[in-house]
Amino acid sequence: VVFGAVVSGRTPEIPGIESMIGLFINTVPVRVRMEAGDTWTDLAARLQAEQGALLPHQHLALTETQRAAGEGNLFDTVVAFENYLADRTAQPVDETTGLRVTGAKGHDGAHYPLNLVVVPGSRLRLRLDYRADSYTRPDADALLSRLVRLLTVVAEDADQPVGSVGLLGADERERVVGVWGRGP
């Protein structure tokens, strides 16, 4: 499975990055290999190690990565974590600089067929944006419901095998097993 991940682009490999002002975000491909015997814990640990090893390369432009990979789209789904200071703390002042954050809000369009936005906080918030030429609202809602089911099940028991989690809702399962399973 390959999806895009939005990264800050402020890696130490760029000389003087700590004193630069501006938007440096980049989108990088994330490849997830799933093995038959993996548990969700195994998969998460491996993915974290693999992505950690790639941190020094996150400043490479997506066009450069695409050129190196060859023809075709690298991915059609992007994940972004919006972790702005104003959302994470009740104290909107950085004590070291005196900088005051009074609010942060982002607006963007769906450039890829699916864009998952994750906002951490006391409750994890998920937003799935989609392009209407690729998905209908009910299809996008069904995908988001499956993701919520997956996250709930994994949070309850991350040591279960990756393939053991059922993602279909009751109505979807009835359609697949009951209606489609009976045949014409």
Side-chain angles (χ1 to χ4, degrees), residues 9-125:
R10 292 190 171 271
T11 60
E13 287 72 26
I14 301 174
I17 192 71
E18 69 281 354
S19 63
M20 293 180 188
I21 297 174
L23 188 62
F24 289 87
I25 63 170
N26 192 15
T27 303
V28 298
V30 176
R31 185 177 82 171
V32 181
R33 293 176 296 107
M34 290 179 248
E35 314 258 337
D38 279 347
T39 64
W40 290 100
T41 302
D42 298 333
L43 180 61
R46 186 175 62 246
L47 184 59
Q48 183 176 12
E50 290 170 355
Q51 291 307 297
L54 294 173
L55 284 173
H57 308 287
Q58 286 188 344
H59 67 283
L60 295 175
L62 183 57
T63 54
E64 292 177 47
T65 306
Q66 177 70 55
R67 191 172 19 257
E71 291 187 35
N73 293 329
L74 291 174
F75 46 82
D76 61 4
T77 303
V78 173
V79 176
F81 288 87
E82 290 184 353
N83 54 350
Y84 303 116
L85 177 64
D87 290 339
R88 292 184 296 149
T89 179
Q91 176 57 280
V93 176
D94 181 338
E95 299 298 331
T96 59
T97 64
L99 179 66
R100 179 178 199 92
V101 177
T102 59
K105 191 170 187 177
H107 298 279
D108 54 14
H111 304 289
Y112 292 92
L114 289 173
N115 297 281
L116 177 64
V117 179
V118 180
V119 182
S122 58
R123 290 184 57 127
L124 188 67
R125 293 184 317 182

Side-chain angles (χ1 to χ4, degrees), residues 151-158 160:
L151 293 174
T152 301
V153 168
V154 171
E156 291 170 358
D157 181 10
Q160 62 185 299

